[in-house]
Amino acid sequence: MLLKSPAGSKQGKMGSRKCGSCLSCLLIPLALWSIIVNILLYFPNGQTSYASSNKLTNYVWYFEGICFSGVMMLIVTTVLLVLENNNKYKCCQSENCGKKYVTLLSITFSSLGIAFSGYCLVISALGLVQGPYCRTLNGWEYAFEGTAGRFLTDSSMWIQCLEPAHVVEWNIILFSILITLSGLQVIICLIRVVIQLSKILCGSYSVIIQPGII
């Protein structure tokens, strides 16, 4: 005879909740680092003059790390943590209904997290491939815009950028870090969506077989 195991159900719910909270907590340092890295992009070699004179790559002004992968992800993370830890949340008469509603909210905000971090990932990748806005012998321009990203593996081309100093390395490192951070955020949010969907589709309690009971 098939019976529901209350102990197994309780442990499964606690484990699922703990896993969800841990994943949400991981988003916090990733968001904070995204903000820091994006801010550094405004100050090549620690100089503020290029930002004030608007001599930076245009993709820096999309605020992908500060706003989307940073502040917006912090808001999403806060909501997810509240949903994971608020066991007394009620939206309707049935307890099952309330839990499903919370699960749907969690899926919605996790999906928003994927959208926000995905935006940062795409913009950072475009900024990396385009290359920095720098002063060359022909004046200020995107020196590597027509190279389709070939300059990334050919450091001999970097000498075309005369100013700011080491701006190519600066952009490559920081945009690459942003891509990594936002990519991790996408993966974490995607895992959360899968976990929450499994709760809806498969149920959140375990089923065991006890032989000998008719």
Side-chain angles (χ1 to χ4, degrees):
M1 181 178 179
L2 292 177
L3 296 176
K4 297 178 185 177
S5 171
S9 175
K10 188 174 181 180
Q11 290 175 1
K13 290 175 184 177
M14 288 178 63
S16 178
R17 189 180 300 121
K18 190 173 182 181
C19 178
S21 296
C22 289
L23 287 173
S24 298
C25 288
L26 286 175
L27 292 172
I28 297 175
L30 292 175
L32 294 175
W33 274 110
S34 293
I35 293 173
I36 293 171
V37 172
N38 198 164
I39 290 174
L40 288 175
L41 279 167
Y42 291 98
F43 309 107
N45 298 320
Q47 301 177 36
T48 61
S49 58
Y50 300 107
S52 59
S53 59
N54 196 22
K55 292 178 179 177
L56 300 172
T57 173
N58 58 341
Y59 285 112
V60 170
W61 303 107
Y62 282 72
F63 304 106
E64 62 273 19
I66 294 175
C67 183
F68 292 90
S69 191
V71 175
M72 298 305 294
M73 283 301 299
L74 287 174
I75 294 173
V76 166
T77 302
T78 301
V79 174
L80 291 175
L81 286 172
V82 170
L83 291 174
E84 289 289 343
N85 296 300
N86 189 2
N87 299 324
K88 297 180 180 179
Y89 183 85
K90 292 182 180 179
C91 65
C92 46
Q93 298 293 331
S94 167
E95 183 181 353
N96 253 351
C97 169
K99 289 179 180 178
K100 286 182 179 178
Y101 186 74
V102 170
T103 301
L104 287 173
L105 280 177
S106 184
I107 292 174
T108 300
F109 279 93
S110 295
S111 299
L112 283 175
I114 293 174
F116 293 143
S117 52
Y119 172 85
C120 179
L121 178 63
V122 171
I123 296 299
S124 299
L126 290 174
L128 180 66
V129 173
Q130 177 181 289
Y133 184 68
C134 60
R135 184 176 66 83
T136 66
L137 293 174
N138 298 321
W140 287 89
E141 62 179 351
Y142 290 99
F144 313 110
E145 193 171 21
T147 66
R150 290 194 305 272
F151 74 97
L152 295 171
T153 55
D154 187 1
S155 57
S156 63
M157 301 174 65
W158 298 357
I159 58 173
Q160 295 181 47
C161 279
L162 305 176
E163 186 186 357
H166 308 293
V167 68
V168 181
E169 297 95 315
W170 188 267
N171 271 32
I172 290 176
I173 292 172
L174 295 181
F175 273 126
S176 296
I177 293 174
L178 270 181
I179 290 172
T180 303
L181 293 172
S182 55
L184 288 172
Q185 289 177 335
V186 169
I187 292 172
I188 291 173
C189 289
L190 189 58
I191 292 174
R192 281 192 53 87
V193 170
V194 172
I195 291 174
Q196 299 302 324
L197 282 176
S198 68
K199 286 183 182 180
I200 295 177
L201 300 177
C202 305
S204 57
Y205 57 83
S206 59
V207 178
I208 62 172
I209 299 177
Q210 292 185 355
I213 299 179
I214 301 177

